[in-house]
Amino acid sequence: MTNRFGLPDLGVGLGLRSVHYPHILAERPSVDWFEVLSENYMQTAGRPLYFLDAIAERYPVVLHGVSLSIGSTDPLDMAYLAELRALRDRTRARWVSDHLCWTGVAGKNTHDLLPLPYTEEGLRHVTARVRAVQDVLGAPLALENPSTYVEHAGASMREWEFLARLAEQADCAILLDVNNVFVSAYNHGFEPATYLAAIPFDRVVQFHVAGHTHHGTHIIDSHIGPVTDAVWRLLGEAYRRSGGASVLMEWDAEIPDFATTHAEALRAKEFIQVPSPSRS
Amino acid sequence: MRRDVVEIETLRERASATPDPQGPRPRVGGPTPSRSVIGDDAGEDASLRSRQLRFTRGLMTPESSPGTLDEGSAARWLTPGPRLTALERFEIYRRGYHARLIECLSDDYPASRHALGEAPFDDLCRAYIARFPSTGPNLNPFGRHMADFLREQVPEPFPARAFAADIASLEWAIVEVIHAASEPPLSLESLEGVQADGWGAVRLEPTPALRLLRFGHPVNEYFRAFRHDESPAIPAPAPSAAVVYRSGPTVWRMDLNEPMMAVLSALVAGEPLGEALARAEGLLSHLEAAETATRVTTWFREWVGHGVFARARW
């Protein structure tokens, strides 16, 4: 199965991190693609763009944001969307993604991925906003399932149903973060398989994997350290259902050298059935 | 004229989607160890907007605030998990909110953090966060108020407040220079068309990625020592000046003595070279005119060579 949007399977990619800039530019490692954190290259005219331009010239990139706040009841930030579109065009990013969440309200931004109440009101609200964002971008938006640590009382559906219905109604893509499925499943007491069973895999254009921090009572989506075997196996299952989609490993703190980070990302190939395509 | 590069390859990602890895410890018994305002002057309104207002109000409550929360009010709007109460689950977000912004400020002000000490710096950050909550989609400008906050709003006796404001000014200048646009530098060769008697009328435009700074302490030297892991002590007050600028991907800091600062300030302000030279002559009156001219010419050639200017007009 390929995704319904015709977006390419870029292979196994790596999150672009500033600590790796010197190595990437000097050594030009063979990497299928990079995921770029959008906001790091917005509201800047300087050094970050210097490196981004050099890297985007050589490698396919995808934009991944954390401040779209698609679920907020504040109006969409049209200046932010215009800048995001310009960044997409500048980098020739293959697609743009962000999270199914909200980050603030009443003009404040918490810069965290806050959980939505999974209600019919919430579904209507987010659907309308996703359509509006896609109109601005002129392309499908990929929304990532977040890790969450609390759920809202009075929800009328679970997150997997909300995401599946949203994707259908808004005709958007899904970035399926299997680490987040694992983390949320532990935190809220459901089975990851239940989540996967509800996902429309023809809408999945990308997977995320990452490390996490286990506290016993709960797991935090820390993006620290290697991916656990359980998450790798979950990727394998999800990948099999999708028929193939781009895979990206996130490592955001205590980041090791490039070779170690890239080697960890390439472990994905042990768990996915279709070989990674060569870099275009 | 010594200049030092700012090692910023390890400038951390600003937009990482990584919450605080510190989670709540399981409650063994007794009262809830921390409380936050999550409740309920919004009454029973379960609308999406009200839920979000309620959630953020609780989230942004200072961690030191006594608040009015109990498990009952948390459980009205949030759910317990398999191992944690609704309140404990909410507290993950509240701690994460403050931790993330403290981390952001620590990234922008590492020398300030060293100078003040971790705990006082973290307390300063909490006060800053309460005073200047983020209102935009990007954390890049979040820390822009720190130097003014230290000078004007942090009460005495805050340890080394005046020095902290100085070092914060330098560190924010570095952030601004990182994010400013830059242009191809003016070269000495491009000035070959200036006639011998025309130099006095030459006006120079600095690169946009440049900041001139005056301090009440030897801040640049402190910053250099800090970057070289020398664990410097807070210095005694003494006037100093520096220029911070970026050439390509590299950020530089350069000490300026008073005559240098006078000349470079004048040039950056758009004064013609002849008038800038006159300022130096006044400050170097103990020197022969020829030596003054030689010094200023040397400074000028080095500044151009280092990429401080973007263009010239004559």
Side-chain angles (χ1 to χ4, degrees):
Chain A
M1 182 194 312
T2 56
N3 67 79
R4 63 168 54 215
F5 305 101
L7 293 174
D9 179 354
L10 298 175
V12 177
L14 200 53
L16 180 65
R17 302 293 178 263
S18 57
V19 292
H20 296 148
Y21 287 161
H23 178 87
I24 295 168
L25 292 181
E27 304 301 325
R28 303 193 189 193
S30 178
V31 178
D32 288 346
W33 62 286
F34 284 104
E35 183 181 78
V36 168
L37 292 168
S38 309
E39 286 80 2
N40 281 332
Y41 306 94
M42 298 169 72
Q43 287 194 258
T44 180
R47 191 175 184 269
L49 292 177
Y50 173 93
F51 287 104
L52 180 62
D53 287 344
I55 290 167
E57 192 174 345
R58 298 188 177 101
Y59 299 92
V61 302
V62 164
L63 295 187
H64 183 55
V66 294
S67 279
L68 180 61
S69 198
I70 196 68
S72 175
T73 51
D74 279 1
L76 282 169
D77 185 339
M78 301 310 292
Y80 171 89
L81 284 173
E83 192 177 358
L84 181 65
R85 182 178 60 194
L87 184 65
R88 188 270 315 270
D89 294 343
R90 179 183 186 133
T91 57
R92 300 180 306 282
R94 301 321 193 252
W95 59 84
V96 175
S97 65
D98 205 300
H99 299 77
L100 179 59
C101 72
W102 57 290
T103 66
V105 71
K108 305 292 193 302
N109 192 347
T110 69
H111 298 281
D112 202 347
L113 310 176
L114 304 178
L116 277 163
Y118 298 128
T119 62
E120 294 294 336
E121 179 194 6
L123 181 59
R124 288 191 300 272
H125 177 72
V126 178
T127 296
R129 286 166 71 89
V130 171
R131 287 185 179 146
V133 168
Q134 292 182 142
D135 285 346
V136 171
L137 294 177
L141 173 70
L143 281 178
E144 176 183 341
N145 56 301
S147 280
T148 57
Y149 310 103
V150 76
E151 294 173 307
H152 291 266
S156 58
M157 67 190 91
R158 301 303 298 271
E159 181 181 299
W160 48 87
E161 180 185 349
F162 188 100
L163 178 58
R165 289 176 64 187
L166 169 66
E168 181 67 28
Q169 292 176 16
D171 196 18
C172 69
I174 294 173
L175 190 174
L176 186 63
D177 189 313
V178 294
N179 180 61
N180 290 352
V181 172
F182 183 86
V183 168
S184 293
Y186 186 84
N187 290 341
H188 304 310
F190 61 81
E191 290 296 324
T194 303
Y195 202 111
L196 294 190
I199 295 298
F201 277 95
D202 64 329
R203 293 186 177 276
V204 174
V205 300
Q206 184 188 335
F207 294 103
H208 268 171
V209 289
H212 55 247
T213 303
H214 206 306
H215 288 280
T217 53
H218 62 289
I219 299 175
I220 294 287
D221 179 34
S222 60
H223 294 184
I224 294 175
V227 180
T228 66
D229 287 346
V231 172
W232 281 128
R233 287 192 295 273
L234 203 57
L235 171 68
E237 175 59 26
Y239 195 92
R240 182 187 64 77
R241 294 187 188 219
S242 75
S246 305
V247 177
L248 189 284
M249 190 201 70
E250 301 178 290
W251 196 324
D252 292 350
E254 300 172 18
I255 305 171
D257 60 50
F258 183 85
T260 303
T261 311
H262 194 205
E264 180 64 17
L266 292 176
R267 282 202 65 202
K269 295 186 178 182
E270 302 172 28
F271 298 91
I272 58 180
Q273 298 301 312
V274 178
S276 177
S278 55
R279 177 162 57 88
S280 57
Chain B
M1 171 179 353
R2 187 176 91 180
R3 64 172 184 160
D4 295 302
V5 68
V6 178
E7 301 297 337
I8 54 173
E9 285 80 5
T10 55
L11 189 65
R12 290 170 58 176
E13 306 328 300
R14 189 48 48 81
S16 170
T18 305
D20 177 13
Q22 302 301 318
R25 284 162 289 284
R27 214 161 37 125
V28 177
T32 303
S34 65
R35 294 174 291 175
S36 52
V37 177
I38 187 171
D40 251 343
D41 44 333
E44 298 295 320
D45 188 347
S47 68
L48 182 59
R49 179 81 174 172
S50 291
R51 287 178 186 264
Q52 291 183 347
L53 288 169
R54 195 177 294 119
F55 198 101
T56 51
R57 192 164 55 240
L59 191 72
M60 296 170 70
T61 304
E63 293 167 292
S64 59
S65 167
T68 58
L69 178 71
D70 59 22
E71 286 289 355
S73 54
R76 284 167 63 193
W77 299 108
L78 304 170
T79 63
R83 301 160 215 93
L84 294 175
T85 68
L87 174 60
E88 287 171 333
R89 282 152 51 99
F90 178 77
E91 284 292 304
I92 295 172
Y93 287 99
R94 184 171 173 227
R95 273 197 300 280
Y97 168 71
H98 293 91
R100 181 184 304 275
L101 295 179
I102 292 173
E103 181 183 80
C104 171
L105 294 170
S106 299
D107 286 348
D108 285 340
Y109 296 104
S112 302
R113 191 161 190 257
H114 174 81
L116 297 177
E118 268 188 42
F121 181 82
D122 288 356
D123 287 342
L124 173 71
C125 289
R126 291 189 179 90
Y128 182 94
I129 291 163
R131 175 63 182 84
F132 299 107
S134 178
T135 58
N138 203 305
L139 279 172
N140 286 340
F142 177 64
R144 65 193 179 281
H145 303 294
M146 183 60 82
D148 288 340
F149 184 63
L150 280 160
R151 279 190 203 95
E152 299 164 9
Q153 301 190 40
V154 174
E156 295 279 18
F158 185 83
R161 186 179 80 165
F163 176 75
D166 268 356
I167 192 75
S169 294
L170 174 65
E171 294 193 284
W172 191 250
I174 292 170
V175 172
E176 288 188 329
V177 158
I178 287 170
H179 291 295
S182 66
E183 300 179 22
L186 177 74
S187 67
L188 287 169
E189 289 72 25
S190 66
L191 296 169
E192 289 175 352
V194 179
Q195 300 296 315
D197 60 354
W199 279 98
V202 172
R203 295 178 189 266
L204 297 144
E205 284 186 33
T207 170
L210 177 142
R211 299 293 183 272
L212 281 171
L213 302 146
R214 289 184 183 277
F215 307 107
H217 301 77
V219 165
N220 194 36
E221 175 55 30
Y222 179 92
F223 189 84
R224 185 205 63 77
F226 164 74
R227 298 296 301 191
H228 286 82
D229 295 325
E230 294 174 10
S231 298
I234 293 176
S240 72
V243 59
V244 179
Y245 65 98
R246 183 168 59 83
S247 180
T250 307
V251 175
W252 298 93
R253 296 168 292 109
M254 194 158 47
D255 280 315
L256 301 172
N257 59 31
E258 191 54 41
M260 290 177 180
M261 183 60 168
V263 172
L264 188 53
S265 296
L267 292 174
V268 167
E271 291 183 21
L273 193 54
E275 291 181 22
L277 176 61
R279 292 178 182 275
E281 289 171 345
L283 291 167
L284 294 170
S285 56
H286 58 289
L287 299 177
E288 296 291 334
E291 186 173 352
T292 298
T294 299
R295 286 197 184 190
V296 174
T297 300
T298 300
W299 301 340
F300 177 76
R301 293 179 69 86
E302 290 196 9
W303 292 335
V304 173
H306 291 166
V308 167
F309 301 110
R311 65 182 61 83
R313 292 180 288 116
W314 64 89

